Amino acid sequence: MGTASPAAAADEQKPIDNAKVYSSEQDVVARMEGTDGMKDKDGKPVPGYAPVADSESVMGYPKGVDRDKDNKVMPVYKDDVQAQYDAKQAVVDAKAAAKKYAEDTTNNPQPLRETAKLLADSPLTDPEVRGDTNDDAIFGRGGPEPGAEHTEMYCAGKHAPAPGGRVDQNAAKANPCVFVGKLDKKDGSKYPKVGGSSGMAGGGKKTYSVEGLSSEEKSTTEGWAAGGKFTPKLTVTPGGDKGGPGGGADAELSFTYSYSSTTTNKVQIAQKDQTEVEFPSDKKGSLQGRRDGAYYVGYIVVRKTNALPEDNIGQEHLIAIPARVYVQSPQSSTSVTYFKYQE
């Protein structure tokens, strides 16, 4: 229990929590969720910074699909996902998400609503489930050979390169694709840690500055606006346990994120904040960052129709591709929240 400082209770969400100094991971998670019982000066509950749902959906190929440091997709496998989420139920959920998107005439453009409706109205219920995230060729099954049309390309409304290297693009810049997933139960999946400052033993006063830049596709009328990439940075003054010049904190990696199919809340493009804290002499203090979202495991559900006469042209298929995806909390406008932390 506690009372939020004016900064924490302000309408504009800030990257740094100034309510208190935290001493456990459980306290940090509770503040992110809003389950810590914190009250504002008027005695009203203070919402969590980034509540997340038990399940989520993302339109199109998810920007937040799990990738390694070289930007290669990190695969999850059919059997592992099926143990948590049945593929047939995923089709039901994907159709429901597509239907809700198609019916939102206020926030979603007509070409995309029509594209979503193709999936929502599909009579099929039993998908072709692929083996892992990288087993994702929609046409021309196989590897990266010429002519293979993979899911990310297909969901963006593009076709495999034609002779001469030409890539055809449909008018909507989209095809019917929806990711649906359940909250990943693996440790660290909820509010993943980002690089924070090194702990300073023996107490002392420091000033922390954080900033970050979010890059997103600018089009709002064509193509699935599924998310973007965030690059954080943290500096501390003075640097080191004994003081001295300021400097950057531990290396921090950029990360990609997806938006929920129902959110209209976008993250701030530029995020910047600063705070000063003095830690007790018997504690080790630092500034710790947590992403404002969570990883979900599920399927990218894709609707396609055969394109060639020899393949029974026009025949409809539903394909379910296992995936692990990071989704930004629909209730947060910052990408990372930082906490003063002592241990």
Side-chain angles (χ1 to χ4, degrees):
M1 300 287 287
T3 301
S5 68
D11 289 337
E12 182 184 354
Q13 189 171 344
K14 296 288 187 181
I16 298 178
D17 174 287
N18 276 304
K20 65 176 185 178
V21 175
Y22 292 76
S23 58
S24 74
E25 183 66 17
Q26 291 79 7
D27 286 349
V28 169
V29 170
R31 179 81 297 271
M32 292 291 275
E33 294 175 330
T35 58
D36 55 354
M38 183 173 285
K39 308 287 186 182
D40 65 15
K41 58 181 173 42
D42 297 320
K44 297 178 181 179
V46 177
Y49 291 123
V52 294
D54 290 333
S55 60
E56 270 297 358
S57 59
V58 175
M59 302 305 296
Y61 188 89
K63 296 286 186 187
V65 69
D66 204 10
R67 297 179 184 269
D68 64 17
K69 61 182 178 61
D70 297 318
N71 203 38
K72 294 180 180 178
V73 172
M74 297 178 64
V76 293
Y77 296 90
K78 172 183 175 180
D79 291 345
D80 295 331
V81 176
Q82 183 70 22
Q84 301 181 56
Y85 194 8
D86 181 69
K88 288 186 178 180
Q89 181 59 48
V91 167
V92 173
D93 296 341
K95 288 182 180 181
K99 183 175 187 291
K100 188 170 185 179
Y101 185 95
E103 291 175 345
D104 186 350
T105 58
T106 301
N107 296 301
N108 302 325
Q110 183 178 358
L112 295 181
R113 288 189 285 109
E114 291 176 352
T115 302
K117 194 172 186 297
L118 292 173
L119 177 55
D121 292 345
S122 172
L124 302 181
T125 59
D126 193 2
E128 173 193 335
V129 185
R130 295 293 176 82
D132 65 68
T133 316
N134 289 321
D135 180 13
D136 73 338
I138 302 303
F139 294 102
R141 287 295 301 273
E145 75 281 353
E149 187 171 316
H150 293 270
T151 303
E152 186 171 8
M153 173 184 287
Y154 177 79
C155 293
K158 298 177 181 179
H159 297 291
R166 186 187 77 253
V167 176
D168 293 328
Q169 171 78 70
N170 68 16
K173 295 186 178 180
N175 275 315
C177 304
V178 180
F179 168 79
V180 286
K182 302 291 186 183
L183 191 62
D184 193 351
K185 298 176 182 177
K186 186 190 305 182
D187 287 347
S189 296
K190 193 175 186 179
Y191 311 128
K193 294 180 180 180
V194 298
S197 70
S198 299
M200 180 176 64
K205 182 181 291 186
K206 287 201 173 185
T207 299
Y208 294 102
S209 299
V210 300
E211 57 184 293
L213 187 65
S214 179
S215 58
E216 298 183 4
E217 294 180 355
K218 299 187 182 305
S219 174
T220 58
T221 58
E222 296 178 314
W224 301 116
K229 181 178 181 180
F230 184 74
T231 303
K233 181 180 180 182
L234 185 155
T235 54
V236 55
T237 306
D241 285 357
K242 306 298 183 182
D250 298 339
E252 297 185 49
L253 299 176
S254 301
F255 61 88
T256 55
Y257 57 89
S258 289
Y259 283 130
S260 169
S261 63
T262 58
T263 190
T264 57
N265 187 30
K266 304 293 185 179
V267 300
Q268 302 165 24
I269 298 302
Q271 302 170 33
K272 192 172 184 178
D273 203 2
Q274 182 174 295
T275 191
E276 185 178 83
V277 60
E278 184 167 4
F279 293 108
S281 60
D282 60 342
K283 300 291 184 180
K284 183 178 181 180
S286 60
L287 194 72
Q288 298 290 323
R290 301 293 183 273
R291 293 196 216 171
D292 286 26
Y295 279 99
Y296 292 80
V297 289
Y299 305 89
I300 305 169
V301 179
V302 179
R303 176 201 178 267
K304 76 161 190 175
T305 56
N306 290 348
L308 300 175
E310 59 265 32
D311 293 332
N312 192 7
I313 191 167
Q315 182 179 357
E316 185 175 348
H317 298 265
L318 288 183
I319 302 169
I321 301 163
R324 182 174 188 256
V325 175
Y326 177 76
V327 182
Q328 168 79 12
S329 167
Q331 299 184 50
S332 173
S333 59
T334 59
S335 301
V336 175
T337 298
Y338 291 89
F339 295 87
K340 303 171 186 177
Y341 196 86
Q342 66 183 28
E343 51 189 320

